[in-house]
């Protein structure tokens, strides 16, 4: 989340406690926030502000060498920013390349460099430290096909004192890791999935200072997971030896061996089964050496991973079915391929779009590698998806352009009404950004008009730090708007928008884990009024809705520009029996600003005196 480290995290609960020891062990000193007083104490210990942090760690500009490519005669050209490693390669060569990429990307928070580090099936001795805009992944059908003896980890050395609250935009997937010393670390915040992984040891989710994540999905941890200072976290379809740690909002859905206890003490929300899900598509190499993309099947009422009990269910698509977009590809190139019936494999890079990418064919796959980034220019939308079955969008960062876009992405056209229950569209690790790298503007980020859509880890972010950031600069009204029926969201992060952050108009919606920060920068109360109501909701369900349910929701305020600003409530819902909310928390970070109520007129306040307010059930 963005707590001051990202800008506010500095004012959020104490971002401190330095601990180096590179491939982790479980955090030695963990501060758990159990009362407003502790929150206030910790909050004051954090670094100054995001601007200072940004200046202390400028983006890297170093040029690096040519990528390692697969020399096989039938290997596809994956472009200049993808490394493909083979077990026959020199260990030193592989490690040298990993270190070279990490050196460039460790502090490169708003740079344009993008990388994918891919390991063919086999065993490797390697230490992959994962920096910004870097994906580290195996190319097997199972995570156990590719084993790393060493580490695949995310650290916060670049942001002392080991503050992971700005460790965004990185990815570890589809690998088995046998960690040196028995433990590994994934100290991250938003947009940093750890999915389809098999860690043969313990996992720490912080680096000693504060962390604000995150997602663990379709993964098996043989040892214990320690969440440490993580402020919130979603674990979906996971298996592990045990879990320890809590803070404000820890959610477990379809998790085998989930920890015991109930919100708010400890703040655990447990849903035994994942009602409907699709795992993220991924690139792999089959037994004959051919590159393919695996598209997992729909799972219903599931627990645990999709792969640990045998081969996962799904469909393999040959790489020939994909147009491989490489840096320099245009929107016209990609649209021509889509119109010709191709899927898209978008290799690492930043792609400026002068026209909207139009996905019209059922079951189209658009898969990005290495946080592939789409930037719409001249006010166009980045992507439009027709009201069709089974489209899979994965691994994309949509970065708003300098001219306002009415919408950055639309799934289903306005008025869409078809049912897609048998073959739902899904969005996996799809992230949106307005500002930060440059001035960005978008009235709405994601609009979902189709029914039965699955959201599988979305971070929709109006930037609170970086370039082009200000109340009148990176303007953005709403993050997510849902008009379709029976839409399900897992791991929904929406932050800093200037009106209602999430607006839900469709019937039958479900959300499993929600994390929100209100905008830091309203200059005064008059600038942030919704009619006669002070401020806007973090999550608003329309008055017309009669059926909606949500589990494990957090909303935080840090009105740093003017701490006198007040939000009337975090969650705004109709008072009807079919609309049910479970396990909600509102937090005034460091007591900087006020949220008067948690949901409607119930719960709270969260303010300077009582920084944390909880509501277990509503109504």
């Amino acid at each position: 989340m963005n707590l001051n480290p990202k800008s506010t995290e500095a004012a959020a609960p104490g971002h401190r406690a330095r601990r180096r020891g590179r491939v982790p062990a479980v955090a030695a000193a963990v501060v758990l926030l159990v009362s407003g007083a502790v929150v206030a104490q910790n909050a004051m210990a954090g670094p100054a502000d995001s601007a200072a942090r940004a200046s202390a760690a400028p983006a890297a500009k170093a040029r690096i060498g040519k990528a390692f490519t697969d020399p096989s005669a039938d290997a596809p050209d994956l472009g200049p920013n993808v490394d493909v490693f083979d077990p026959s390669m020199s260990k030193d060569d592989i490690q040298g390349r990993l270190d070279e990429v990490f050196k460039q990307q460790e502090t490169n928070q708003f740079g344009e460099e993008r990388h994918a580090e891919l390991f063919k099936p086999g065993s490797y001795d390697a230490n992959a430290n994962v920096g910004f805009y870097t994906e580290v992944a195996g190319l097997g059908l199972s995570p156990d096909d590719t084993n790393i003896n060493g580490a695949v980890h995310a650290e916060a050395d670049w942001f002392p004192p080991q503050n992971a609250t700005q460790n965004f935009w990185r990815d570890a997937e589809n690998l088995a890791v046998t960690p040196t010393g028995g433990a590994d670390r994934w100290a991250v915040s938003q947009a940093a999935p750890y999915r389809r992984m098999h860690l043969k040891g313990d996992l720490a989710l912080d680096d000693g200072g504060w962390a604000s994540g995150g997602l663990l999905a379709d993964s098996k941890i043989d040892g214990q997971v320690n969440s440490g200072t993580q402020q919130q976290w979603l674990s979906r379809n996971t298996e592990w030896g045990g879990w320890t740690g809590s803070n404000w909002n820890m959610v477990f859905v379809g998790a085998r061996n989930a920890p015991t206890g109930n919100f708010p003490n400890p703040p655990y929300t447990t849903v035994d089964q994942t009602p409907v899900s699709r795992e993220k598509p991924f690139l792999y190499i089959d037994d004959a050496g051919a590159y393919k993309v695996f598209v997992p099947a729909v799972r219903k009422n599931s627990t645990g991973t999709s792969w640990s009990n045998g081969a996962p269910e799904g469909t393999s698509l040959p790489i020939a079915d994909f147009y491989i977009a490489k840096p320099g590809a245009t929107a016209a190139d990609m649209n021509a391929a889509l119109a010709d019936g191709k899927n898209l494999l978008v290799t690492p890079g930043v792609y400026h779009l002068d026209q909207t990418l139009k996905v019209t064919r059922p079951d189209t796959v658009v898969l990005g590698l290495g946080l592939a980034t789409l930037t719409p220019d001249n006010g166009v939308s980045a992507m439009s998806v027709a009201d069709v079955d089974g489209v899979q969008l994965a691994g994309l960062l949509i970065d708003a352009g300098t001219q306002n876009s009415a919408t950055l992405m639309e799934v289903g056209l306005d008025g869409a009404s078809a049912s897609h229950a048998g073959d739902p569209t899904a969005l996996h690790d799809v992230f949106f950004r307005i500002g930060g790298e440059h001035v960005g503007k978008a009235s709405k980020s994601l609009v979902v008009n189709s029914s039965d859509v699955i959201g599988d880890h979305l971070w929709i972010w109006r930037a609170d730090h970086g370039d082009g950031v200000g109340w009148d600069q990176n303007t953005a009204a709403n993050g997510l708007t849902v008009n379709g029926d029976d839409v399900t969201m897992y791991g929904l992060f929406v932050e800093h928008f200037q009106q209602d952050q999430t607006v839900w108009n469709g019937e039958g919606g479900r959300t499993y884990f929600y994390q929100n920060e209100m905008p830091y920068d309203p200059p005064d109360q008059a600038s942030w009024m919704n009619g006669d109501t002070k401020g806007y909701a973090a999550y608003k369900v329309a008055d017309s809705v009669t059926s909606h349910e949500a589990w494990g929701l957090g909303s935080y305020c840090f009105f740093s520009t003017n701490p006198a600003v007040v939000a009337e409530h975090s969650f705004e819902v109709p008072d009807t029996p079919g609309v049910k909310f479970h396990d909600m928390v509102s937090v005034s970070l460091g007591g900087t600003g006020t949220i008067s109520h948690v949901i409607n007129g119930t719960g709270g306040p969260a303010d300077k005196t009582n920084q944390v307010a909880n509501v277990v059930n509503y109504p």
Side-chain angles (χ1 to χ4, degrees), residues 50-64:
S50 61
R53 300 163 188 222
S55 64
K61 298 297 183 183
R63 296 175 64 88
I64 63 175

Side-chain angles (χ1 to χ4, degrees), residues 280-297:
K280 182 180 178 181
F282 59 92
L283 185 67
Y284 80 103
I285 299 174
D286 69 11
D287 292 341
Y291 281 75
K292 295 181 177 180
V293 170
F294 189 78
V295 183

Side-chain angles (χ1 to χ4, degrees), residues 166-188:
Q166 290 186 33
N167 272 9
F168 313 141
W169 303 308
R170 63 199 71 202
D171 183 13
E173 290 190 38
N174 201 32
L175 291 163
V177 180
T178 303
T180 304
D184 213 345
R185 178 172 12 250
W186 192 249
V188 297

Side-chain angles (χ1 to χ4, degrees), residues 30-34 210 225-233 243-250 252 259-260 264-268:
V30 175
V31 180
L32 299 183
L33 306 189
V34 294
W210 276 100
V225 180
N226 189 323
S227 64
T229 55
Q230 282 290 349
Q231 292 158 340
Q232 66 281 314
W233 194 270
W243 174 284
T244 184
S246 63
N247 218 323
W248 292 329
N249 183 30
M250 319 305 281
F252 308 89
T260 59
N265 188 24
Y268 292 162

